[in-house]
Each structure stands twice: as structure tokens, then as C-alpha cells.
Amino acid sequence: VRFLLTIFLSAWFAASIAQNYANPLDGELILSGNFGEVRGNHFHSGLDLKTGGVEGKSVYSIADGYVIRIKVSPSGFGKAVYVNHPDGKTSVYAHLRDFAPEIAAYVKEQQYAKQSFSVDLNLSASKFPVKKGQLIAKSGNSGSSGGPHVHFEVRETNGQIPTNPLNHGFKVKDQRHPELKKLWIYEHSESGHVEGLLEEKSFNLNGKAGNYSVADTIRALGALSFGVSALDRFTSSRNVCGIYGMTVKVNGEIIHAHKIDRFPFSKKRMVNCHIDYHKRATERHFVHRSRIAPGNELDVYSNIKNQGTVEIELGKTYKVEVEIKDHARNTSSINFDLIGQKASATTVAEAEKITDIFPPKQENSFSNNSVRVSIPNGCLYDTLKFKYDIKPSSDDCISDVHSIGKLSDTPLHKSMTVSVKLKDVSEINTAKAVMVSFDKKGKPIAEGGTVKWNWMTATTRSFGDYAVMLDSLAPQLRPKNFKDQTSTSGIDTLKFQLEDDLSGIRSISGTLNGKWVLLEHDPKNDLVYYVKDERFINGQNTIRITVKDKVGNLKELSVTVQ
């Protein structure tokens, strides 16, 4: 066996470095998402391949290689397969419904051995060798997917660094120019302005089909940077995707250039300083900025001058060109003139109530008698005008509501620590305590945390409003597509509705006729389900399920069906 494995590995590593990849799906590749697209708090690390709104499409290995990893999770990628190839690349296929039969049998065996639905399996090269074009899975909607599709990646195996799959020969029809929505100009000096405004101003754009302009010459002074709200679409799909690159020239000289071909996972959250975070949070504009913040360590930039800013001097005229490209080199550009003039009058924004100034690249903290905030070095991308306030609490809270920074203003790269003092509560109640933040609609979102000496402490990667609440209610669990004490003939999958009001689900376990049984969890649809197999016998079957939330509230359910 060892001799055969040596031969296999030698042949594998001797294979041609230049791969001619096969498509992972049959037919034309149609995208609903592209590489480098702005997603939540990260760059998108692959292509989202459309499957016609259905599950069960065949998924193929793009080249010879071997399955190195299989992961099953109720969130994230859901069911995913990772394949190593001899050219130093790893292909990833995620949000799957099923694995190929031999892989599925192995995964199920491991799930029963570990008595866990979630598994992360690292495999030897000899376990599942695959050939180019070999079926490895069926497409699905598992994990945190928002609809049936295949998330597909090509990574550098060394370091598992995502790269743009469109750089590896995969063809996608694209004759559309990027769509430019709005121009922003930002002012960074104490004595400057943009059309009389002291910080920033937006400008509507005229034009289409790649050529845009601003109506009039723009009057400004001081250190300026630029931002463009832009998106892209592909020929065969109307889905909104992201741009590939941007170049900014002033009087013919490049002050900013970037393109997104690769990025390590450790830096993908830096999308929050690559774009205008506030515009995305408040206006849903994805504004790509020319200025590079002090904490921005992305490697996607070139030809950056003065951190992507330009000094506008009195009496001088500047020609500015902003060029946006997609991967197919379809280009859209904005051309406009800037003239250095003093403002005839300036509009001064209402003075903000600032609690403190927090510089980047150092530790920062704030505390009083009821809250402590610790922001480690590496959290902030730029100087923060820190704001704090205290708000009245509701009957649902066992602490004050603390407004820490502003959710829509400032992103965090790493987690900060927040400690909140509890009001007088019993030791029994503190066991059910949960730190919460609040979304835009005031809905509490569990952040977890632990209690010590009447203080609750949690880590979080967002500013916003924080308080402590009690979760004393057990999760709710009930049959969804069948009834207790009935026949389930004709039903292949027994579904259970699972809901929790606050802290979230910690664990799910179940038995079928007294023995551990595999239950799959689909949290985005509040479902737990059992797919009938050889363990489901003719006659009476008893399924018992135990669910715990993250503060220990317990729910047990027993059903007997035929």
C-alpha cells in the first residue's frame, strides 16, 4: 500500500503545473456573485454560480487531484468539499445538498462515529483521488446560503489564499460596462472645503454606457480624496456584482490604483476601510475610496500617492479622471475639472459631542461606573471620534443601555471587549444573562458573555447600543410536516420547527429507538430534520430530541411515528 501511495503521489506532483480547468457545472457559467464583491463585513472569496433556482445540479472537480477536506456545518459554507490539485491550487465547492455517494457514505460514517452533525474532516491524498470532470457533489442551499447556488473558489494551497477564479480560464459572458451611481469628494485638511462643505460632498453623474461626467467645474481647496459608488453586472444575469478595479488620475498622474485578484482571509474584513463604511451602512452605496486609511493593510493597491489624496492649491485647475473596470476590461470613467478657490461661504456642520479621540495602531479604552470598553491595537483602521452615551433601559434589561460608538460610523477589524455592570439580580438570574446589541429596528441580538462580580463581559466586532437581558425561555420545538402518533408513509424527511427567542442554540441531540441518530440543522429556516434511512424500521419508531440554548435552557420532545 505504501509503495502504491508513493507512486500515486509521485505521478500527482509530476503532473503539468499549467492546468486546463473544467467547469464545475454543466453548461454556461452564470454568476450571481463575483470575486472581491463587497459582502457584509468581507470581500467575497469566490464565484456564486447560479443553478436555475433549484438544487441537485451535478458538481464536478475542475481538475485531477484529491479531496483534502470535507466540512459540514449548519452555517457558513454548509456542506463543502475541498480538492487539492497538482498545480498548487485548491478548489472549493460549497452550499452543497449532497456529496457523491462514496464521499457521502464516509461523511455519514464519521458523523455517527463522532455523534455530531457538524464535522470537519481532513483526509489523506489516497482517500478520495478524483479526476478532472468527476462528479463530487450535488448543488444545494446549505449553510448560510441565501438561495440555491454553488459557491466556488480557487485558492493557493499554500496559505489557503483565495484567488480570482476568472484569472484561471473560467469564461463568463460580460459585455456590460460597470454602472457608476455617484461621485464623492472628501476633504481632509482643517482649512479646506468642497463646494463650501468642510468634510465631504456628493455629486450626481451624467452619462451612461461607460462615459460619465459632473455637470460643472468643482470648486475646492485643501487635501482631497475621491470615492465612487459603483457596481457591475454580467451579460447573462441581472444580479448586482462588484467591480474589479479602480484608477484615479489627477492631471494625468495616478494617485490611486487597485484591482482585486487575491487576498488572505486574515485581511478580507478590511473591505470595511477599502469602502466608505458609513455610506454602505446608511445608504447602501458601495463607495470605493481613493484614500488609504492608516490601518488598511490590503495588498490590492498600486501607485498610491499621498495615501490616495491630492492637494488642491489656490488658483490652479486640475483635471480628474476616475476609471472603473470589470474583469473583462469593460471600462467606465468619470472626467471632471477641479479649480482651487476659496469658499465664498462655508457650511459648518453642527458640533458633535465627542467623548474622546482614539488613534489607530494603539490600544484605546473608556470606562465609567457602569461600563468598560477595551479596544486592542489593530481594531481601528483610522482615527475615531469616540462617542458614548447612556440610554434608559426597558423592563427587559437588567442593566443600563450603553451607546458605545456608532454602529453605522466605524468598523472594527478585531474584537473589542465590553463589560456592563448589572443591576441588582440574583445569582440564579445571572446564569441566564446575555449581553445583547440592538439592530436598527431595536431588536436584541445575542452577543454571549460571562458574568463575574456583577459585571457581564463579552467580545464584539461592532459599535452600537449594548445592554444585558435575561433568557429564561426554553427553545420551541415541534413537528412540522407530520403529526405525532401517525403514519409518515410517503414522507422521506421528517422536519421539526426549532425556534429560540434570544441566546441561540448551543446543542441538538437525538435518538431513534434508543440509539443516537443523525439530525441535520438548518438554522436559517429554523429547521431540524431527519432523513429516513435503514435505521427507520417498519412499525413503531420513537424519536427523542434534546435541544439546549446557550444559557442552558432545555427543550425535550418525543414523537412516535410509523
Side-chain angles (χ1 to χ4, degrees):
V1 173
R2 185 173 298 174
F3 175 72
L4 292 175
L5 177 59
T6 301
I7 292 176
F8 167 75
L9 290 175
S10 298
W12 188 82
F13 283 111
S16 171
I17 294 301
Q19 289 275 16
N20 180 21
Y21 292 132
N23 278 350
L25 296 175
D26 289 318
E28 179 189 353
L29 294 183
I30 301 176
L31 305 189
S32 59
N34 64 339
F35 185 85
E37 179 183 341
V38 178
R39 291 282 186 90
N41 289 305
H42 63 275
F43 287 110
H44 191 227
S45 56
L47 304 179
D48 282 347
L49 307 177
K50 300 185 80 164
T51 58
V54 300
E55 301 181 33
K57 298 291 186 180
S58 296
V59 179
Y60 307 103
S61 175
I62 61 171
D64 293 355
Y66 63 89
V67 177
I68 186 66
R69 184 184 183 195
I70 305 166
K71 188 171 183 181
V72 178
S73 171
S75 58
F77 279 175
K79 296 179 180 179
V81 175
Y82 301 68
V83 179
N84 273 8
H85 304 289
D87 62 348
K89 300 296 189 296
T90 298
S91 56
V92 183
Y93 316 79
H95 303 311
L96 306 170
R97 186 188 71 184
D98 306 302
F99 302 113
E102 65 276 13
I103 297 175
Y106 173 75
V107 171
K108 191 170 184 179
E109 174 189 296
Q110 293 299 306
Q111 288 173 314
Y112 270 89
K114 300 174 184 295
Q115 294 195 352
S116 173
F117 166 62
S118 297
V119 291
D120 192 352
L121 308 172
N122 294 293
L123 310 177
S124 67
S126 60
K127 185 65 179 177
F128 292 116
V130 296
K131 303 297 288 184
K132 177 181 176 179
Q134 180 176 329
L135 179 75
I136 55 175
K138 294 286 187 177
S139 69
N141 188 30
S142 60
S144 300
S145 169
H149 74 285
V150 174
H151 174 87
F152 169 66
E153 296 183 10
V154 178
R155 300 181 182 178
E156 297 172 5
T157 301
N158 185 16
Q160 290 294 295
I161 297 174
T163 65
N164 194 332
L166 297 182
N167 287 332
H168 300 289
F170 297 100
K171 303 298 182 184
V172 179
K173 293 179 181 178
D174 187 4
Q175 286 88 41
R176 295 177 185 267
H177 292 276
E179 300 173 27
L180 310 188
K181 301 299 184 181
K182 212 172 231 186
L183 168 73
W184 269 267
I185 301 181
Y186 304 87
E187 209 289 311
H188 303 285
S189 53
E190 293 182 2
S191 57
H193 73 95
V194 183
E195 292 288 348
L197 298 180
L198 298 183
E199 292 187 351
E200 64 181 58
K201 181 175 174 57
S202 65
F203 297 86
N204 293 323
L205 299 177
N206 302 317
K208 59 181 180 179
N211 296 304
Y212 296 84
S213 63
V214 180
D216 299 308
T217 297
I218 297 170
R219 297 163 300 167
L221 204 63
L224 305 185
S225 67
F226 308 93
V228 179
S229 173
L231 58 89
D232 193 37
R233 303 181 201 266
F234 291 84
T235 298
S236 299
S237 172
R238 289 294 299 168
N239 293 77
V240 172
C241 293
I243 68 168
Y244 174 59
M246 179 174 81
T247 302
V248 180
K249 297 179 182 178
V250 179
N251 290 340
E253 182 180 17
I254 295 174
I255 67 165
H256 170 103
H258 84 263
K259 60 179 181 177
I260 305 176
D261 286 315
R262 65 190 292 277
F263 54 83
F265 282 111
S266 62
K267 295 182 181 180
K268 70 175 185 175
R269 192 176 173 89
M270 289 184 179
V271 68
N272 286 332
C273 61
H274 171 80
I275 63 168
D276 186 324
Y277 181 81
H278 178 74
K279 300 293 186 299
R280 191 201 74 188
T282 58
E283 303 175 33
R284 298 298 299 167
H285 280 291
F286 296 140
V287 181
H288 297 262
R289 298 191 61 172
S290 69
R291 179 178 177 268
I292 308 301
N296 186 344
E297 299 176 359
L298 286 167
D299 301 319
V300 301
Y301 306 107
S302 60
N303 296 324
I304 300 299
K305 182 179 180 182
N306 297 328
Q307 291 186 293
T309 67
V310 61
E311 187 73 28
I312 304 301
E313 298 180 11
L314 188 64
K316 292 185 178 181
T317 300
Y318 302 79
K319 292 190 176 296
V320 182
E321 180 184 4
V322 182
E323 185 178 79
I324 305 289
K325 288 185 177 181
D326 62 22
H327 192 272
R329 300 301 189 267
N330 299 305
T331 302
S332 294
S333 60
I334 312 169
N335 293 276
F336 59 95
D337 290 337
L338 274 170
I339 185 168
Q341 284 188 3
K342 291 183 178 180
S344 56
T346 55
T347 302
V348 180
E350 183 178 345
E352 295 181 291
K353 181 182 177 182
I354 305 300
T355 305
D356 206 343
I357 300 295
F358 290 165
K361 298 187 176 183
Q362 71 172 51
E363 294 183 9
N364 295 280
S365 63
F366 169 80
S367 64
N368 59 27
N369 292 332
S370 57
V371 68
R372 303 166 185 160
V373 181
S374 177
I375 305 174
N377 186 4
C379 271
L380 297 176
Y381 300 118
D382 212 337
T383 299
L384 168 64
K385 296 177 181 178
F386 180 72
K387 307 167 190 174
Y388 169 79
D389 199 3
I390 192 166
K391 298 181 176 180
S393 63
S394 67
D395 293 339
D396 297 328
C397 298
I398 59 170
S399 74
D400 294 317
V401 177
H402 301 274
S403 183
I404 301 168
K406 193 173 180 182
L407 176 63
S408 62
D409 279 359
T410 307
L412 293 171
H413 187 66
K414 300 193 299 185
S415 294
M416 67 176 180
T417 302
V418 176
S419 297
V420 172
K421 189 172 185 178
L422 308 182
K423 297 177 181 177
D424 293 333
V425 291
S426 69
E427 189 173 324
I428 296 174
N429 280 344
T430 59
K432 304 295 183 183
V434 182
M435 180 88 78
V436 300
S437 59
F438 297 91
D439 66 14
K440 295 177 182 178
K441 297 181 180 179
K443 179 183 176 181
I445 301 168
E447 302 282 350
T450 57
V451 177
K452 185 176 182 180
W453 297 323
N454 220 34
W455 285 77
M456 167 150 264
T457 299
T459 56
T460 177
R461 293 171 89 169
S462 297
F463 287 112
D465 292 349
Y466 284 85
V468 180
M469 301 177 73
L470 295 179
D471 182 1
S472 56
L473 297 178
Q476 298 180 37
L477 181 66
R478 58 187 180 277
K480 182 175 177 65
N481 65 337
F482 68 95
K483 294 183 179 180
D484 189 17
Q485 303 293 332
T486 62
S487 170
T488 60
S489 176
I491 302 175
D492 294 330
T493 302
L494 302 183
K495 298 180 181 180
F496 301 83
Q497 191 78 25
L498 174 61
E499 299 170 355
D500 185 71
D501 73 321
L502 186 57
S503 63
I505 302 300
R506 181 181 298 280
S507 65
I508 303 169
S509 61
T511 61
L512 174 63
N513 302 323
K515 295 183 178 179
W516 188 87
V517 69
L518 177 62
L519 298 174
E520 303 204 23
H521 185 201
D522 180 7
K524 69 175 178 285
N525 291 312
D526 296 324
L527 286 178
V528 172
Y529 54 93
Y530 163 63
V531 180
K532 288 181 179 176
D533 57 10
E534 68 278 3
R535 295 166 180 81
F536 193 87
I537 62 174
N538 290 324
Q540 297 256 341
N541 291 267
T542 299
I543 300 176
R544 291 189 171 89
I545 303 177
T546 301
V547 178
K548 287 183 181 179
D549 67 15
K550 292 182 179 178
V551 294
N553 295 310
L554 183 70
K555 174 65 178 181
E556 295 178 311
L557 175 70
S558 178
V559 296
T560 300
V561 294
Q562 295 182 351

